Amino acid sequence: MSDEDERAYAHADSVEGLLRRGRGLGAVRALQDPRRAAGFVYDGIRRDWRWDGTDDRSLYLARLVQDLGLSPAPVVAQLVADEETCLRACEVLELLALTGSDKLGRAFGPTSGRANTGPESWSR
């Protein structure tokens, strides 16, 4: 079975189906059980479920990661995937970084945040 065969939407009333469609009700229901919704959120970053690509799904997904208290580590892990997945993960991570996510630094490993990137290090 190909990946395209697996791209059928989940039922429209389910948490999974609502999240795949980018619906606000999906976010509300996900808040009721963040652990159960986590896989659906990460899958939404891994696969682009939009049929027309016109909404700002990366903002929706970044807000879900933040509001549900999910670890960004699975999003960081998607940086080594195919180009489209990597770009979606980058967009979500960029938005999380702009919010000052405490968990984001830990997701990149023990050396994140310790590198000297100021002007004094540029000549090295």
Side-chain angles (χ1 to χ4, degrees):
M1 180 168 10
S2 74
D3 192 41
E4 288 301 313
D5 294 332
E6 297 176 20
R7 291 189 56 88
Y9 275 110
H11 192 273
D13 290 337
S14 69
V15 172
E16 180 181 12
L18 290 165
L19 291 174
R20 284 183 181 179
R21 290 166 175 83
R23 302 285 309 275
L25 183 57
V28 170
R29 288 191 183 166
L31 284 168
Q32 295 170 356
D33 191 356
R35 292 183 69 156
R36 182 172 169 261
F40 304 141
V41 173
Y42 296 134
D43 183 60
I45 298 168
R46 186 172 61 87
R47 297 180 187 205
D48 190 355
W49 289 97
R50 297 174 296 174
W51 63 273
D52 62 358
T54 59
D55 65 8
D56 195 3
R57 192 63 55 98
S58 57
L59 178 59
Y60 175 77
L61 293 165
R63 287 286 311 267
L64 282 168
V65 170
Q66 184 178 32
D67 293 350
L68 298 176
L70 303 179
S71 169
V75 183
V76 171
Q78 293 182 26
L79 294 175
V80 296
D82 62 88
E83 183 178 3
E84 290 180 15
T85 301
C86 179
L87 290 173
R88 283 191 300 278
C90 283
E91 289 174 359
V92 170
L93 292 170
E94 177 184 23
L95 291 166
L96 289 172
L98 290 172
T99 67
S101 171
D102 296 345
K103 294 181 180 181
L104 192 56
R106 293 189 298 269
F108 279 99
T111 60
S112 66
R114 286 195 259 156
N116 185 358
T117 58
E120 63 279 354
S121 68
W122 295 347
S123 61
R124 294 182 196 160

